[in-house]
Structures are given as structure tokens and as C-alpha cells.
Amino acid sequence: VYDEGDSLLFRKGAQEQRVPLKDIVDIGDATTGSPSKLVIKVRTAGPLGSELAFIPQGRPMSLFSKSPIVADLIERVDQARNS
């Protein structure tokens, strides 16, 4: 996954799906496995589907606190929807 500022680019093999932040419906974390995954649900399914999961880089997500990556992404999605 590549953060392009106003969109996220998901890549799996040769397939790509660009998701504008305003088209993200939900952001969740699947902390039941190891390592934890971030799950992005999008308004319209693309080549990789409507639920896109990835393992974020940086600090591991905790069961007891929200990841700074998740918090930042939620804030940016809200800003994109309201602009």
C-alpha cells in the first residue's frame, strides 16, 4: 500500500487499485492475528475488491490503544469527505 496523499494505492502482484480517501467507508483493525492488519472498506469495489487489508509499517497496533496510523488516516478521510 502506498499513501499518495489524497488516495491510497493498493498493489497485489500486477493488480492495482487506487482508492481516493473520500471513497473510504470504514477503517478497522483486525487485531486477532499476528501481525495486526488494517482493513479498509471502500464505496465501490475495484480489481482487488471492496475490503482491502494490509499490514501497516511502523509501530505495531495495540489491543488497548488506537494506532497513530489509524488515527491519522481517519482524520484525513473525514477531511476528504468534508471538502
Side-chain angles (χ1 to χ4, degrees), residues 4-81:
E4 298 184 322
D6 63 346
S7 64
L8 298 176
L9 176 63
F10 291 82
R11 213 178 255 165
K12 185 175 182 180
Q15 289 187 309
E16 290 186 351
Q17 183 171 338
R18 182 168 279 106
V19 178
L21 295 183
K22 65 182 177 74
D23 291 344
I24 293 176
V25 175
D26 190 38
I27 301 168
D29 51 344
T31 55
T32 55
S34 180
S36 298
K37 293 180 183 176
L38 196 58
V39 181
I40 307 289
K41 293 181 184 178
V42 298
R43 192 173 317 283
T44 306
L48 299 177
S50 61
E51 285 192 16
L52 307 164
F54 66 98
I55 301 168
Q57 297 296 313
R59 190 181 83 156
M61 290 188 282
S62 164
L63 293 173
F64 305 107
S65 65
K66 187 165 285 203
S67 160
I69 294 169
V70 173
D72 176 64
L73 191 54
I74 289 170
E75 184 177 322
R76 291 171 49 211
V77 166
D78 285 344
Q79 288 175 352
R81 286 183 191 154

